[in-house]
Amino acid sequence: MPALRIEKKSGEWKVAPQLRDYEALRESFSWAKAAAEELQGLPGGRGLNIGFEAVDRHALGARSEQCAIRFLQREGGHEDFSYGRLYEATNRFANLLASLGLKKGDRVFGLLGRVPELYVTALGALKAGAVFCPLFSAFGPEPIQTRLSLGEGKLLVTTAALYQKKVAAIRASLPYLKHVILVDAAARPDTIGWREAMSNASPDFVVPPTDPEDLALLHFTSGTTGKPKGALHVHQAILAHHVTGRLALDFRAGDVFWCTADPGWVTGTSYGILSPLSNGVTMVVDAQDFDAQRWYQILEEQRVSVWYTAPTAVRMMMKGGSELSRGRDLSRLRFIASVGEPLNPEAVLWGVEALGLPIHDNWWQTETGGIMIANYAAMDIKPGSMGRPLPGIEAGVVRRREDGSVEVLPDGEPGELALRPGWPSMFRGYLNEEARYRKCFAGNWYLTGDLAKRDTEGYYWFVGRADDMIKSAGHLIGPFEVESALLEHAAVAEAGVIGKPDSTVGEVVKAFVSLKPGYEAGETLKRELLGFARTRLGAAVAPKEIDILPALPRTRSGKILRRLLKARELGLPEGDTSTLEGGA
Ligand code: ATP
Ligand code: MG
């Protein structure tokens, strides 16, 4: 493990972090107390509703005029939604659902990019008691069809172009789908026009009684390890969204927050909509996809104070070179965090160089609904570590025994990362896969499918996904370690590492890399990279083979698809590729 440490000195804060004394807060924290202090609950003791906490309580309170979301348009320009405006729009959408005959628990799907209608759909559906499910707008017809039928989607909100291209032809095969709303078209025989329907709906709406255990969200996993699973979440999840936003992203009044996640992925909802709004901050949403220049410009011009992004995006910015950040006034930026994949130590340090701040890695999954392990503003960072569990979260590194019981492993030993069930945003099931859900639990632990180690200071270190581990000549090798070492080489932009079956040693480590601009692929560079990795990792762990690819296959949420690299290497079927970026 790298010995490097970025110290946080308490005398140097511009503003004191929300979580100052980690140990003390862990000690005193309880979810019940947090719920009483940080959420409002529906008036009259009628329960807890995500939409109410995210929008109504602010709109009906002191934040009605405050900007809730600033939408940056592709061609420049922006549209602001105050909490008051968002309240009215979501009220109208909730009324529209009732007029279409949608009932509590019915599924509302969004197939939209980062446009205002997506946010109104999600929040309005939650207020009405419907279950919201986002889809990647880049999905092709097949993944859309699978998810809409599995999820029994009753209403779909999309654009005219997306509908024409991807949904019209499969509509007849979707018996549950009763209505389609097009956000940018007038009513047609088989679709509803957003504008007209919204203006006919009343702007007054009272959120109906909502049990904290009522279903609220359906999120399909990224499909990194196989066929995506549909994780079900309940209204109570908002407590975890809220608390983790405050403690792990350091939200406070006056913040301008930018989450770059695609709305089709769980991060795009938990932290791209719900957590920041519940915390009453102002969000920036950019309709455009990644562009390094544009991103620096947004950080500067929108005076972003808290930024939440992903390792892929960071690596793409690194590829562009830190010169792009020169001359930018990023003095408003106070906190940067990343999620989705391991954040290589190289990337944490690049943050300091290019943005003036380290990047704080945090770990969670679709199933956990919110951040579980994090590097906090006030805590030293050990680059390469995911940080420590949130207050209210008990984590452990365990081994599942043959008899189904679970053994907690000592510090330093790699094992499966496990969490004690009971936090509010924990998934309540996999859609139609009860047995698979049950298999995730053993000995009063939820087993995450990720392998990790904990050090003596309680920091967690990601080792790899259980499925990606490589067994070579008696060594268990995590791809992350090997990939991080390769990324230290100036030529390497991305790295993905797999185990390739070998009759002598079981598996040999094989690496795939893509290069930064200005570097030439060829045998000389390959040899250099293999030698470079060997000096850093030793012969037992270093890759024996390396291929240079123009780009690595990734999921739409930005994760390197190692199983696809492996299938292609071995000439095996590619399996479910519905979430492959650039795929159909
Ligand atoms: P599937 O479950 O369908 O294979 P997925 O696990 O990639 O897909 P998500 O729920 O979107 O779907 O991703 C969660 C996973 O991403 C985690 O289990 C972990 O493997 C990885 N991950 C997320 N954050 C981190 C992090 N900070 N460090 C390392 N890995 C991370
Ligand atoms: Mg997973």
Side-chain angles (χ1 to χ4, degrees), residues 60-61 128 132 171 253 256 326 495 551 562:
L60 301 170
F132 174 68
R171 183 144 180 200
V256 175
R326 288 219 184 104
R562 293 178 194 82

Side-chain angles (χ1 to χ4, degrees), residues 198-445:
M198 285 288 277
S199 65
N200 289 340
S202 162
D204 301 316
F205 181 79
V206 175
V207 174
T210 312
D211 191 283
E213 280 298 310
D214 281 347
L215 283 184
L217 298 158
L218 166 62
H219 283 297
F220 286 93
T221 60
S222 291
T224 314
T225 51
K227 191 165 153 280
K229 300 147 271 186
L232 292 159
H233 290 276
V234 297
H235 277 273
Q236 210 186 134
I238 192 65
L239 178 56
H241 299 146
H242 184 100
V243 169
T244 55
R246 195 169 66 72
L247 299 180
L249 300 178
D250 201 41
F251 287 152
R252 67 189 63 234
D255 266 333
V256 175
F257 172 63
W258 184 24
C259 171
T260 63
D262 191 290
W265 178 37
V266 66
T267 308
T269 306
S270 293
Y271 297 96
I273 309 180
L274 306 176
S275 175
L277 294 179
S278 180
N279 278 282
V281 307
T282 296
M283 269 161 62
V284 175
V285 166
D286 184 24
Q288 186 75 272
D289 289 329
F290 177 83
D291 175 274
Q293 284 280 16
R294 183 177 168 106
W295 279 28
Y296 285 115
Q297 193 180 340
I298 292 173
L299 289 171
E300 179 179 29
E301 288 177 2
Q302 300 304 323
R303 304 156 80 83
V304 172
S305 53
V306 180
W307 191 36
Y308 197 22
T309 189
T312 340
V314 173
R315 286 194 295 265
M316 286 200 281
M317 292 194 80
M318 289 167 76
K319 200 170 171 178
S322 44
E323 306 81 69
L324 288 176
S325 68
R326 288 219 184 104
R328 295 278 178 199
D329 174 8
L330 303 179
S331 56
R332 290 286 164 150
L333 206 52
R334 188 184 77 245
F335 189 79
I336 311 175
S338 155
V339 70
E341 276 198 303
L343 186 67
N344 314 89
E346 203 57 18
V348 178
L349 301 175
W350 173 84
V352 179
E353 183 195 318
L355 307 166
L357 295 169
I359 303 176
H360 297 75
D361 187 19
N362 59 51
W363 176 94
W364 59 289
Q365 346 170 267
T366 309
E367 290 85 343
T368 70
I371 302 170
M372 296 284 110
I373 297 180
N375 286 285
Y376 309 94
M379 207 171 77
D380 289 359
I381 299 180
K382 303 188 192 183
S385 160
M386 324 192 274
R388 298 166 81 184
L390 264 288
I393 300 299
E394 187 185 342
V397 174
V398 308
R399 180 163 50 224
R400 208 193 282 237
R401 295 199 192 93
E402 298 254 312
D403 65 1
S405 64
V406 161
E407 173 193 0
V408 178
L409 299 175
D411 288 343
E413 215 171 289
E416 190 163 358
L417 178 61
L419 302 164
R420 265 297 171 223
W423 70 94
S425 62
M426 192 179 92
F427 72 137
R428 300 299 197 262
Y430 283 132
L431 197 62
N432 306 336
E433 290 189 278
E434 177 61 24
R436 189 168 198 175
Y437 174 69
R438 268 190 274 110
K439 257 181 74 182
C440 298
F441 298 89
N444 201 19
W445 287 100

Side-chain angles (χ1 to χ4, degrees), residues 189 194 230 267 288 389 402 424 434 446 476 486 488 513 531 571:
W194 173 278
T267 308
Q288 186 75 272
E402 298 254 312
E434 177 61 24
Y446 160 64
L476 195 62
L486 286 164
E488 285 174 34
V513 297

